[in-house]
PDB file of all heavy atoms in Angstrom:
ATOM      1  N   GLU X   1      13.797  -2.891   7.284  1.00 95.00           N
ATOM      2  CA  GLU X   1      14.574  -2.482   6.105  1.00 95.00           C
ATOM      3  C   GLU X   1      15.329  -1.192   6.402  1.00 95.00           C
ATOM      4  O   GLU X   1      16.520  -1.078   6.070  1.00 95.00           O
ATOM      5  CB  GLU X   1      13.639  -2.290   4.915  1.00 95.00           C
ATOM      6  CG  GLU X   1      14.372  -1.973   3.634  1.00 95.00           C
ATOM      7  CD  GLU X   1      13.475  -1.847   2.438  1.00 95.00           C
ATOM      8  OE1 GLU X   1      12.226  -1.951   2.572  1.00 95.00           O
ATOM      9  OE2 GLU X   1      14.001  -1.630   1.336  1.00 95.00           O
ATOM     10  N   GLU X   2      14.688  -0.228   7.046  1.00 95.00           N
ATOM     11  CA  GLU X   2      15.335   1.023   7.386  1.00 95.00           C
ATOM     12  C   GLU X   2      16.519   0.825   8.334  1.00 95.00           C
ATOM     13  O   GLU X   2      17.517   1.545   8.267  1.00 95.00           O
ATOM     14  CB  GLU X   2      14.352   1.984   8.054  1.00 95.00           C
ATOM     15  CG  GLU X   2      13.342   2.564   7.113  1.00 95.00           C
ATOM     16  CD  GLU X   2      12.294   3.398   7.843  1.00 95.00           C
ATOM     17  OE1 GLU X   2      12.520   3.769   9.026  1.00 95.00           O
ATOM     18  OE2 GLU X   2      11.236   3.674   7.252  1.00 95.00           O
ATOM     19  N   ARG X   3      16.430  -0.179   9.186  1.00 97.00           N
ATOM     20  CA  ARG X   3      17.503  -0.466  10.142  1.00 97.00           C
ATOM     21  C   ARG X   3      18.610  -1.343   9.546  1.00 97.00           C
ATOM     22  O   ARG X   3      19.542  -1.706  10.237  1.00 97.00           O
ATOM     23  CB  ARG X   3      16.926  -1.186  11.359  1.00 97.00           C
ATOM     24  CG  ARG X   3      15.958  -0.371  12.137  1.00 97.00           C
ATOM     25  CD  ARG X   3      15.271  -1.195  13.159  1.00 97.00           C
ATOM     26  NE  ARG X   3      15.523  -0.629  14.476  1.00 97.00           N
ATOM     27  CZ  ARG X   3      15.165  -1.174  15.601  1.00 97.00           C
ATOM     28  NH1 ARG X   3      14.573  -2.363  15.602  1.00 97.00           N
ATOM     29  NH2 ARG X   3      15.385  -0.578  16.739  1.00 97.00           N
ATOM     30  N   GLY X   4      18.446  -1.710   8.287  1.00 94.00           N
ATOM     31  CA  GLY X   4      19.445  -2.555   7.654  1.00 94.00           C
ATOM     32  C   GLY X   4      19.349  -4.011   8.081  1.00 94.00           C
ATOM     33  O   GLY X   4      20.363  -4.707   8.119  1.00 94.00           O
ATOM     34  N   GLU X   5      18.132  -4.452   8.377  1.00 94.00           N
ATOM     35  CA  GLU X   5      17.878  -5.826   8.820  1.00 94.00           C
ATOM     36  C   GLU X   5      16.985  -6.536   7.781  1.00 94.00           C
ATOM     37  O   GLU X   5      15.784  -6.678   7.975  1.00 94.00           O
ATOM     38  CB  GLU X   5      17.173  -5.814  10.183  1.00 94.00           C
ATOM     39  CG  GLU X   5      17.961  -5.090  11.240  1.00 94.00           C
ATOM     40  CD  GLU X   5      17.148  -4.790  12.508  1.00 94.00           C
ATOM     41  OE1 GLU X   5      15.894  -4.863  12.454  1.00 94.00           O
ATOM     42  OE2 GLU X   5      17.775  -4.496  13.541  1.00 94.00           O
ATOM     43  N   PRO X   6      17.587  -6.962   6.681  1.00 93.00           N
ATOM     44  CA  PRO X   6      16.767  -7.509   5.611  1.00 93.00           C
ATOM     45  C   PRO X   6      16.102  -8.853   5.933  1.00 93.00           C
ATOM     46  O   PRO X   6      14.993  -9.123   5.466  1.00 93.00           O
ATOM     47  CB  PRO X   6      17.733  -7.641   4.425  1.00 93.00           C
ATOM     48  CG  PRO X   6      19.081  -7.741   5.068  1.00 93.00           C
ATOM     49  CD  PRO X   6      19.005  -6.922   6.325  1.00 93.00           C
ATOM     50  N   ASP X   7      16.765  -9.686   6.722  1.00 94.00           N
ATOM     51  CA  ASP X   7      16.185 -11.034   6.983  1.00 94.00           C
ATOM     52  C   ASP X   7      14.832 -10.947   7.681  1.00 94.00           C
ATOM     53  O   ASP X   7      13.862 -11.577   7.222  1.00 94.00           O
ATOM     54  CB  ASP X   7      17.150 -11.912   7.752  1.00 94.00           C
ATOM     55  CG  ASP X   7      18.375 -12.279   6.934  1.00 94.00           C
ATOM     56  OD1 ASP X   7      18.277 -12.254   5.679  1.00 94.00           O
ATOM     57  OD2 ASP X   7      19.417 -12.596   7.506  1.00 94.00           O
ATOM     58  N   PRO X   8      14.697 -10.194   8.787  1.00 96.00           N
ATOM     59  CA  PRO X   8      13.361 -10.109   9.399  1.00 96.00           C
ATOM     60  C   PRO X   8      12.360  -9.398   8.514  1.00 96.00           C
ATOM     61  O   PRO X   8      11.160  -9.678   8.566  1.00 96.00           O
ATOM     62  CB  PRO X   8      13.590  -9.341  10.708  1.00 96.00           C
ATOM     63  CG  PRO X   8      15.024  -9.046  10.811  1.00 96.00           C
ATOM     64  CD  PRO X   8      15.713  -9.558   9.591  1.00 96.00           C
ATOM     65  N   ALA X   9      12.824  -8.484   7.665  1.00 97.00           N
ATOM     66  CA  ALA X   9      11.920  -7.807   6.737  1.00 97.00           C
ATOM     67  C   ALA X   9      11.353  -8.803   5.738  1.00 97.00           C
ATOM     68  O   ALA X   9      10.148  -8.834   5.479  1.00 97.00           O
ATOM     69  CB  ALA X   9      12.636  -6.666   6.019  1.00 97.00           C
ATOM     70  N   VAL X  10      12.221  -9.648   5.192  1.00 95.00           N
ATOM     71  CA  VAL X  10      11.781 -10.669   4.233  1.00 95.00           C
ATOM     72  C   VAL X  10      10.810 -11.646   4.896  1.00 95.00           C
ATOM     73  O   VAL X  10       9.778 -12.011   4.332  1.00 95.00           O
ATOM     74  CB  VAL X  10      12.999 -11.421   3.646  1.00 95.00           C
ATOM     75  CG1 VAL X  10      12.570 -12.646   2.857  1.00 95.00           C
ATOM     76  CG2 VAL X  10      13.814 -10.483   2.751  1.00 95.00           C
ATOM     77  N   GLU X  11      11.099 -12.015   6.140  1.00 96.00           N
ATOM     78  CA  GLU X  11      10.227 -12.936   6.857  1.00 96.00           C
ATOM     79  C   GLU X  11       8.832 -12.331   7.068  1.00 96.00           C
ATOM     80  O   GLU X  11       7.827 -12.998   6.827  1.00 96.00           O
ATOM     81  CB  GLU X  11      10.833 -13.283   8.213  1.00 96.00           C
ATOM     82  CG  GLU X  11      10.001 -14.256   9.004  1.00 96.00           C
ATOM     83  CD  GLU X  11      10.614 -14.588  10.352  1.00 96.00           C
ATOM     84  OE1 GLU X  11      11.828 -14.464  10.516  1.00 96.00           O
ATOM     85  OE2 GLU X  11       9.844 -14.993  11.230  1.00 96.00           O
ATOM     86  N   ALA X  12       8.784 -11.069   7.485  1.00 97.00           N
ATOM     87  CA  ALA X  12       7.489 -10.413   7.707  1.00 97.00           C
ATOM     88  C   ALA X  12       6.703 -10.309   6.411  1.00 97.00           C
ATOM     89  O   ALA X  12       5.480 -10.571   6.391  1.00 97.00           O
ATOM     90  CB  ALA X  12       7.706  -9.032   8.316  1.00 97.00           C
ATOM     91  N   LEU X  13       7.364  -9.961   5.338  1.00 97.00           N
ATOM     92  CA  LEU X  13       6.672  -9.827   4.056  1.00 97.00           C
ATOM     93  C   LEU X  13       6.205 -11.182   3.546  1.00 97.00           C
ATOM     94  O   LEU X  13       5.131 -11.290   2.934  1.00 97.00           O
ATOM     95  CB  LEU X  13       7.586  -9.144   3.038  1.00 97.00           C
ATOM     96  CG  LEU X  13       7.880  -7.689   3.367  1.00 97.00           C
ATOM     97  CD1 LEU X  13       9.025  -7.177   2.494  1.00 97.00           C
ATOM     98  CD2 LEU X  13       6.650  -6.824   3.218  1.00 97.00           C
ATOM     99  N   GLY X  14       6.977 -12.217   3.806  1.00 95.00           N
ATOM    100  CA  GLY X  14       6.539 -13.574   3.435  1.00 95.00           C
ATOM    101  C   GLY X  14       5.268 -13.965   4.169  1.00 95.00           C
ATOM    102  O   GLY X  14       4.382 -14.605   3.586  1.00 95.00           O
ATOM    103  N   ARG X  15       5.149 -13.550   5.424  1.00 97.00           N
ATOM    104  CA  ARG X  15       3.931 -13.838   6.180  1.00 97.00           C
ATOM    105  C   ARG X  15       2.744 -13.092   5.602  1.00 97.00           C
ATOM    106  O   ARG X  15       1.636 -13.620   5.523  1.00 97.00           O
ATOM    107  CB  ARG X  15       4.140 -13.479   7.647  1.00 97.00           C
ATOM    108  CG  ARG X  15       5.099 -14.443   8.344  1.00 97.00           C
ATOM    109  CD  ARG X  15       5.446 -14.050   9.747  1.00 97.00           C
ATOM    110  NE  ARG X  15       4.255 -13.878  10.586  1.00 97.00           N
ATOM    111  CZ  ARG X  15       4.266 -13.238  11.735  1.00 97.00           C
ATOM    112  NH1 ARG X  15       5.377 -12.711  12.197  1.00 97.00           N
ATOM    113  NH2 ARG X  15       3.153 -13.130  12.449  1.00 97.00           N
ATOM    114  N   VAL X  16       2.975 -11.849   5.174  1.00 97.00           N
ATOM    115  CA  VAL X  16       1.909 -11.079   4.541  1.00 97.00           C
ATOM    116  C   VAL X  16       1.415 -11.810   3.292  1.00 97.00           C
ATOM    117  O   VAL X  16       0.203 -12.002   3.092  1.00 97.00           O
ATOM    118  CB  VAL X  16       2.377  -9.651   4.156  1.00 97.00           C
ATOM    119  CG1 VAL X  16       1.337  -8.953   3.289  1.00 97.00           C
ATOM    120  CG2 VAL X  16       2.685  -8.842   5.398  1.00 97.00           C
ATOM    121  N   LEU X  17       2.351 -12.248   2.456  1.00 95.00           N
ATOM    122  CA  LEU X  17       1.973 -12.873   1.200  1.00 95.00           C
ATOM    123  C   LEU X  17       1.375 -14.260   1.398  1.00 95.00           C
ATOM    124  O   LEU X  17       0.590 -14.708   0.550  1.00 95.00           O
ATOM    125  CB  LEU X  17       3.170 -12.921   0.254  1.00 95.00           C
ATOM    126  CG  LEU X  17       3.598 -11.535  -0.235  1.00 95.00           C
ATOM    127  CD1 LEU X  17       4.878 -11.626  -1.051  1.00 95.00           C
ATOM    128  CD2 LEU X  17       2.495 -10.858  -1.014  1.00 95.00           C
ATOM    129  N   ALA X  18       1.672 -14.916   2.496  1.00 95.00           N
ATOM    130  CA  ALA X  18       1.045 -16.204   2.788  1.00 95.00           C
ATOM    131  C   ALA X  18      -0.459 -16.010   3.038  1.00 95.00           C
ATOM    132  O   ALA X  18      -1.250 -16.873   2.682  1.00 95.00           O
ATOM    133  CB  ALA X  18       1.714 -16.849   4.003  1.00 95.00           C
ATOM    134  N   GLU X  19      -0.806 -14.882   3.596  1.00 95.00           N
ATOM    135  CA  GLU X  19      -2.214 -14.579   3.887  1.00 95.00           C
ATOM    136  C   GLU X  19      -2.892 -13.834   2.746  1.00 95.00           C
ATOM    137  O   GLU X  19      -4.095 -13.952   2.566  1.00 95.00           O
ATOM    138  CB  GLU X  19      -2.324 -13.748   5.165  1.00 95.00           C
ATOM    139  CG  GLU X  19      -1.902 -14.496   6.412  1.00 95.00           C
ATOM    140  CD  GLU X  19      -2.807 -15.657   6.734  1.00 95.00           C
ATOM    141  OE1 GLU X  19      -4.036 -15.526   6.541  1.00 95.00           O
ATOM    142  OE2 GLU X  19      -2.287 -16.703   7.141  1.00 95.00           O
ATOM    143  N   ALA X  20      -2.136 -13.013   2.031  1.00 94.00           N
ATOM    144  CA  ALA X  20      -2.707 -12.185   0.983  1.00 94.00           C
ATOM    145  C   ALA X  20      -1.785 -12.193  -0.229  1.00 94.00           C
ATOM    146  O   ALA X  20      -0.989 -11.275  -0.427  1.00 94.00           O
ATOM    147  CB  ALA X  20      -2.900 -10.754   1.501  1.00 94.00           C
ATOM    148  N   PRO X  21      -1.860 -13.246  -1.048  1.00 92.00           N
ATOM    149  CA  PRO X  21      -0.911 -13.400  -2.159  1.00 92.00           C
ATOM    150  C   PRO X  21      -0.966 -12.295  -3.222  1.00 92.00           C
ATOM    151  O   PRO X  21      -0.066 -12.200  -4.041  1.00 92.00           O
ATOM    152  CB  PRO X  21      -1.277 -14.752  -2.775  1.00 92.00           C
ATOM    153  CG  PRO X  21      -2.534 -15.196  -2.146  1.00 92.00           C
ATOM    154  CD  PRO X  21      -2.790 -14.349  -0.955  1.00 92.00           C
ATOM    155  N   THR X  22      -1.989 -11.467  -3.193  1.00 92.00           N
ATOM    156  CA  THR X  22      -2.065 -10.381  -4.182  1.00 92.00           C
ATOM    157  C   THR X  22      -1.635  -9.037  -3.603  1.00 92.00           C
ATOM    158  O   THR X  22      -1.827  -8.009  -4.249  1.00 92.00           O
ATOM    159  CB  THR X  22      -3.515 -10.252  -4.719  1.00 92.00           C
ATOM    160  OG1 THR X  22      -4.396  -9.964  -3.640  1.00 92.00           O
ATOM    161  CG2 THR X  22      -3.950 -11.517  -5.426  1.00 92.00           C
ATOM    162  N   HIS X  23      -1.051  -9.017  -2.414  1.00 95.00           N
ATOM    163  CA  HIS X  23      -0.657  -7.781  -1.753  1.00 95.00           C
ATOM    164  C   HIS X  23       0.535  -7.172  -2.509  1.00 95.00           C
ATOM    165  O   HIS X  23       1.691  -7.525  -2.291  1.00 95.00           O
ATOM    166  CB  HIS X  23      -0.279  -8.073  -0.299  1.00 95.00           C
ATOM    167  CG  HIS X  23      -0.275  -6.864   0.564  1.00 95.00           C
ATOM    168  ND1 HIS X  23       0.675  -5.866   0.447  1.00 95.00           N
ATOM    169  CD2 HIS X  23      -1.098  -6.484   1.570  1.00 95.00           C
ATOM    170  CE1 HIS X  23       0.441  -4.947   1.353  1.00 95.00           C
ATOM    171  NE2 HIS X  23      -0.643  -5.303   2.056  1.00 95.00           N
ATOM    172  N   GLU X  24       0.232  -6.230  -3.394  1.00 94.00           N
ATOM    173  CA  GLU X  24       1.241  -5.701  -4.286  1.00 94.00           C
ATOM    174  C   GLU X  24       2.349  -4.955  -3.539  1.00 94.00           C
ATOM    175  O   GLU X  24       3.531  -5.052  -3.914  1.00 94.00           O
ATOM    176  CB  GLU X  24       0.589  -4.751  -5.300  1.00 94.00           C
ATOM    177  CG  GLU X  24       1.557  -4.277  -6.364  1.00 94.00           C
ATOM    178  CD  GLU X  24       0.904  -3.440  -7.444  1.00 94.00           C
ATOM    179  OE1 GLU X  24      -0.321  -3.503  -7.612  1.00 94.00           O
ATOM    180  OE2 GLU X  24       1.647  -2.733  -8.133  1.00 94.00           O
ATOM    181  N   VAL X  25       2.026  -4.240  -2.495  1.00 96.00           N
ATOM    182  CA  VAL X  25       3.039  -3.503  -1.724  1.00 96.00           C
ATOM    183  C   VAL X  25       4.066  -4.475  -1.157  1.00 96.00           C
ATOM    184  O   VAL X  25       5.279  -4.213  -1.202  1.00 96.00           O
ATOM    185  CB  VAL X  25       2.379  -2.655  -0.618  1.00 96.00           C
ATOM    186  CG1 VAL X  25       3.424  -2.046   0.288  1.00 96.00           C
ATOM    187  CG2 VAL X  25       1.518  -1.560  -1.232  1.00 96.00           C
ATOM    188  N   ALA X  26       3.606  -5.595  -0.628  1.00 97.00           N
ATOM    189  CA  ALA X  26       4.521  -6.602  -0.081  1.00 97.00           C
ATOM    190  C   ALA X  26       5.404  -7.194  -1.180  1.00 97.00           C
ATOM    191  O   ALA X  26       6.620  -7.372  -0.977  1.00 97.00           O
ATOM    192  CB  ALA X  26       3.752  -7.706   0.627  1.00 97.00           C
ATOM    193  N   HIS X  27       4.831  -7.469  -2.339  1.00 96.00           N
ATOM    194  CA  HIS X  27       5.640  -7.988  -3.455  1.00 96.00           C
ATOM    195  C   HIS X  27       6.714  -6.977  -3.857  1.00 96.00           C
ATOM    196  O   HIS X  27       7.866  -7.347  -4.042  1.00 96.00           O
ATOM    197  CB  HIS X  27       4.735  -8.273  -4.660  1.00 96.00           C
ATOM    198  CG  HIS X  27       4.004  -9.567  -4.603  1.00 96.00           C
ATOM    199  ND1 HIS X  27       4.613 -10.780  -4.808  1.00 96.00           N
ATOM    200  CD2 HIS X  27       2.694  -9.836  -4.355  1.00 96.00           C
ATOM    201  CE1 HIS X  27       3.725 -11.752  -4.706  1.00 96.00           C
ATOM    202  NE2 HIS X  27       2.559 -11.203  -4.423  1.00 96.00           N
ATOM    203  N   ARG X  28       6.304  -5.715  -3.982  1.00 95.00           N
ATOM    204  CA  ARG X  28       7.283  -4.680  -4.377  1.00 95.00           C
ATOM    205  C   ARG X  28       8.397  -4.542  -3.362  1.00 95.00           C
ATOM    206  O   ARG X  28       9.571  -4.390  -3.722  1.00 95.00           O
ATOM    207  CB  ARG X  28       6.574  -3.350  -4.587  1.00 95.00           C
ATOM    208  CG  ARG X  28       5.742  -3.290  -5.857  1.00 95.00           C
ATOM    209  CD  ARG X  28       5.317  -1.877  -6.196  1.00 95.00           C
ATOM    210  NE  ARG X  28       5.016  -1.065  -5.022  1.00 95.00           N
ATOM    211  CZ  ARG X  28       3.829  -0.500  -4.780  1.00 95.00           C
ATOM    212  NH1 ARG X  28       2.843  -0.658  -5.619  1.00 95.00           N
ATOM    213  NH2 ARG X  28       3.653   0.233  -3.697  1.00 95.00           N
ATOM    214  N   ALA X  29       8.037  -4.603  -2.082  1.00 96.00           N
ATOM    215  CA  ALA X  29       9.048  -4.481  -1.030  1.00 96.00           C
ATOM    216  C   ALA X  29      10.033  -5.640  -1.092  1.00 96.00           C
ATOM    217  O   ALA X  29      11.240  -5.455  -0.932  1.00 96.00           O
ATOM    218  CB  ALA X  29       8.365  -4.407   0.341  1.00 96.00           C
ATOM    219  N   LEU X  30       9.505  -6.856  -1.332  1.00 96.00           N
ATOM    220  CA  LEU X  30      10.398  -8.011  -1.453  1.00 96.00           C
ATOM    221  C   LEU X  30      11.311  -7.880  -2.669  1.00 96.00           C
ATOM    222  O   LEU X  30      12.498  -8.204  -2.584  1.00 96.00           O
ATOM    223  CB  LEU X  30       9.583  -9.303  -1.546  1.00 96.00           C
ATOM    224  CG  LEU X  30       9.209  -9.932  -0.233  1.00 96.00           C
ATOM    225  CD1 LEU X  30       8.264 -11.112  -0.446  1.00 96.00           C
ATOM    226  CD2 LEU X  30      10.427 -10.369   0.542  1.00 96.00           C
ATOM    227  N   MET X  31      10.765  -7.416  -3.776  1.00 96.00           N
ATOM    228  CA  MET X  31      11.593  -7.206  -4.954  1.00 96.00           C
ATOM    229  C   MET X  31      12.727  -6.226  -4.643  1.00 96.00           C
ATOM    230  O   MET X  31      13.893  -6.449  -4.999  1.00 96.00           O
ATOM    231  CB  MET X  31      10.762  -6.673  -6.117  1.00 96.00           C
ATOM    232  CG  MET X  31       9.902  -7.718  -6.771  1.00 96.00           C
ATOM    233  SD  MET X  31       9.029  -7.061  -8.206  1.00 96.00           S
ATOM    234  CE  MET X  31       7.456  -6.681  -7.496  1.00 96.00           C
ATOM    235  N   ARG X  32      12.392  -5.138  -3.948  1.00 95.00           N
ATOM    236  CA  ARG X  32      13.374  -4.131  -3.580  1.00 95.00           C
ATOM    237  C   ARG X  32      14.450  -4.711  -2.664  1.00 95.00           C
ATOM    238  O   ARG X  32      15.650  -4.469  -2.850  1.00 95.00           O
ATOM    239  CB  ARG X  32      12.667  -2.950  -2.929  1.00 95.00           C
ATOM    240  CG  ARG X  32      13.578  -1.783  -2.583  1.00 95.00           C
ATOM    241  CD  ARG X  32      12.836  -0.602  -1.971  1.00 95.00           C
ATOM    242  NE  ARG X  32      12.073  -0.993  -0.789  1.00 95.00           N
ATOM    243  CZ  ARG X  32      10.739  -1.019  -0.733  1.00 95.00           C
ATOM    244  NH1 ARG X  32      10.013  -0.691  -1.801  1.00 95.00           N
ATOM    245  NH2 ARG X  32      10.115  -1.376   0.388  1.00 95.00           N
ATOM    246  N   LEU X  33      14.035  -5.487  -1.660  1.00 96.00           N
ATOM    247  CA  LEU X  33      14.991  -6.098  -0.743  1.00 96.00           C
ATOM    248  C   LEU X  33      15.935  -7.058  -1.465  1.00 96.00           C
ATOM    249  O   LEU X  33      17.144  -7.045  -1.233  1.00 96.00           O
ATOM    250  CB  LEU X  33      14.242  -6.843   0.369  1.00 96.00           C
ATOM    251  CG  LEU X  33      13.659  -5.973   1.468  1.00 96.00           C
ATOM    252  CD1 LEU X  33      12.647  -6.781   2.278  1.00 96.00           C
ATOM    253  CD2 LEU X  33      14.758  -5.430   2.361  1.00 96.00           C
ATOM    254  N   HIS X  34      15.382  -7.886  -2.332  1.00 95.00           N
ATOM    255  CA  HIS X  34      16.229  -8.833  -3.073  1.00 95.00           C
ATOM    256  C   HIS X  34      17.211  -8.084  -3.971  1.00 95.00           C
ATOM    257  O   HIS X  34      18.382  -8.445  -4.034  1.00 95.00           O
ATOM    258  CB  HIS X  34      15.373  -9.789  -3.883  1.00 95.00           C
ATOM    259  CG  HIS X  34      14.556 -10.734  -3.086  1.00 95.00           C
ATOM    260  ND1 HIS X  34      15.078 -11.490  -2.044  1.00 95.00           N
ATOM    261  CD2 HIS X  34      13.248 -11.062  -3.150  1.00 95.00           C
ATOM    262  CE1 HIS X  34      14.135 -12.238  -1.517  1.00 95.00           C
ATOM    263  NE2 HIS X  34      13.003 -11.985  -2.170  1.00 95.00           N
ATOM    264  N   ALA X  35      16.725  -7.050  -4.631  1.00 95.00           N
ATOM    265  CA  ALA X  35      17.608  -6.277  -5.522  1.00 95.00           C
ATOM    266  C   ALA X  35      18.707  -5.575  -4.714  1.00 95.00           C
ATOM    267  O   ALA X  35      19.867  -5.555  -5.148  1.00 95.00           O
ATOM    268  CB  ALA X  35      16.799  -5.267  -6.316  1.00 95.00           C
ATOM    269  N   ALA X  36      18.360  -5.058  -3.549  1.00 92.00           N
ATOM    270  CA  ALA X  36      19.354  -4.379  -2.707  1.00 92.00           C
ATOM    271  C   ALA X  36      20.438  -5.332  -2.228  1.00 92.00           C
ATOM    272  O   ALA X  36      21.587  -4.933  -2.030  1.00 92.00           O
ATOM    273  CB  ALA X  36      18.662  -3.726  -1.508  1.00 92.00           C
ATOM    274  N   ARG X  37      20.058  -6.593  -2.077  1.00 91.00           N
ATOM    275  CA  ARG X  37      21.034  -7.614  -1.667  1.00 91.00           C
ATOM    276  C   ARG X  37      21.883  -8.076  -2.840  1.00 91.00           C
ATOM    277  O   ARG X  37      22.802  -8.879  -2.692  1.00 91.00           O
ATOM    278  CB  ARG X  37      20.322  -8.835  -1.105  1.00 91.00           C
ATOM    279  CG  ARG X  37      19.653  -8.635   0.200  1.00 91.00           C
ATOM    280  CD  ARG X  37      18.822  -9.842   0.491  1.00 91.00           C
ATOM    281  NE  ARG X  37      18.824 -10.176   1.907  1.00 91.00           N
ATOM    282  CZ  ARG X  37      18.139 -11.174   2.403  1.00 91.00           C
ATOM    283  NH1 ARG X  37      17.415 -11.964   1.638  1.00 91.00           N
ATOM    284  NH2 ARG X  37      18.162 -11.396   3.698  1.00 91.00           N
ATOM    285  N   GLY X  38      21.538  -7.612  -4.045  1.00 93.00           N
ATOM    286  CA  GLY X  38      22.261  -8.033  -5.237  1.00 93.00           C
ATOM    287  C   GLY X  38      21.735  -9.315  -5.842  1.00 93.00           C
ATOM    288  O   GLY X  38      22.353  -9.880  -6.733  1.00 93.00           O
ATOM    289  N   ASP X  39      20.570  -9.767  -5.376  1.00 93.00           N
ATOM    290  CA  ASP X  39      19.985 -11.008  -5.880  1.00 93.00           C
ATOM    291  C   ASP X  39      18.899 -10.681  -6.892  1.00 93.00           C
ATOM    292  O   ASP X  39      17.706 -10.754  -6.627  1.00 93.00           O
ATOM    293  CB  ASP X  39      19.406 -11.823  -4.719  1.00 93.00           C
ATOM    294  CG  ASP X  39      19.084 -13.241  -5.117  1.00 93.00           C
ATOM    295  OD1 ASP X  39      19.056 -13.541  -6.336  1.00 93.00           O
ATOM    296  OD2 ASP X  39      18.853 -14.078  -4.219  1.00 93.00           O
ATOM    297  N   ARG X  40      19.362 -10.313  -8.074  1.00 95.00           N
ATOM    298  CA  ARG X  40      18.430  -9.909  -9.126  1.00 95.00           C
ATOM    299  C   ARG X  40      17.532 -11.062  -9.565  1.00 95.00           C
ATOM    300  O   ARG X  40      16.384 -10.846  -9.906  1.00 95.00           O
ATOM    301  CB  ARG X  40      19.207  -9.336 -10.304  1.00 95.00           C
ATOM    302  CG  ARG X  40      19.887  -8.041  -9.909  1.00 95.00           C
ATOM    303  CD  ARG X  40      20.888  -7.521 -10.900  1.00 95.00           C
ATOM    304  NE  ARG X  40      20.451  -7.565 -12.270  1.00 95.00           N
ATOM    305  CZ  ARG X  40      21.216  -7.295 -13.313  1.00 95.00           C
ATOM    306  NH1 ARG X  40      22.466  -6.935 -13.097  1.00 95.00           N
ATOM    307  NH2 ARG X  40      20.769  -7.366 -14.536  1.00 95.00           N
ATOM    308  N   GLY X  41      18.058 -12.270  -9.530  1.00 96.00           N
ATOM    309  CA  GLY X  41      17.255 -13.436  -9.915  1.00 96.00           C
ATOM    310  C   GLY X  41      16.075 -13.636  -8.988  1.00 96.00           C
ATOM    311  O   GLY X  41      14.954 -13.927  -9.433  1.00 96.00           O
ATOM    312  N   GLN X  42      16.313 -13.468  -7.692  1.00 95.00           N
ATOM    313  CA  GLN X  42      15.225 -13.600  -6.726  1.00 95.00           C
ATOM    314  C   GLN X  42      14.215 -12.461  -6.881  1.00 95.00           C
ATOM    315  O   GLN X  42      13.016 -12.651  -6.732  1.00 95.00           O
ATOM    316  CB  GLN X  42      15.781 -13.650  -5.297  1.00 95.00           C
ATOM    317  CG  GLN X  42      14.756 -14.007  -4.271  1.00 95.00           C
ATOM    318  CD  GLN X  42      14.216 -15.433  -4.442  1.00 95.00           C
ATOM    319  OE1 GLN X  42      14.891 -16.304  -4.961  1.00 95.00           O
ATOM    320  NE2 GLN X  42      12.998 -15.637  -3.992  1.00 95.00           N
ATOM    321  N   ALA X  43      14.710 -11.268  -7.172  1.00 95.00           N
ATOM    322  CA  ALA X  43      13.818 -10.135  -7.405  1.00 95.00           C
ATOM    323  C   ALA X  43      12.933 -10.394  -8.605  1.00 95.00           C
ATOM    324  O   ALA X  43      11.716 -10.143  -8.563  1.00 95.00           O
ATOM    325  CB  ALA X  43      14.626  -8.847  -7.610  1.00 95.00           C
ATOM    326  N   LEU X  44      13.516 -10.949  -9.653  1.00 95.00           N
ATOM    327  CA  LEU X  44      12.727 -11.286 -10.842  1.00 95.00           C
ATOM    328  C   LEU X  44      11.726 -12.395 -10.545  1.00 95.00           C
ATOM    329  O   LEU X  44      10.575 -12.351 -11.001  1.00 95.00           O
ATOM    330  CB  LEU X  44      13.648 -11.702 -11.992  1.00 95.00           C
ATOM    331  CG  LEU X  44      12.989 -12.023 -13.321  1.00 95.00           C
ATOM    332  CD1 LEU X  44      12.134 -10.863 -13.821  1.00 95.00           C
ATOM    333  CD2 LEU X  44      14.034 -12.425 -14.337  1.00 95.00           C
TER     334      LEU X  44
END
């Protein structure tokens, strides 16, 4: 995310949530990434 590479960031966070669906930090990071891309629907 810091490097401006949202796709690999989303992929890594998806892997986290596949193993730990209650990982709140991963959920928040994904919400932030989606919002930064302008995809408010996906963030919601």
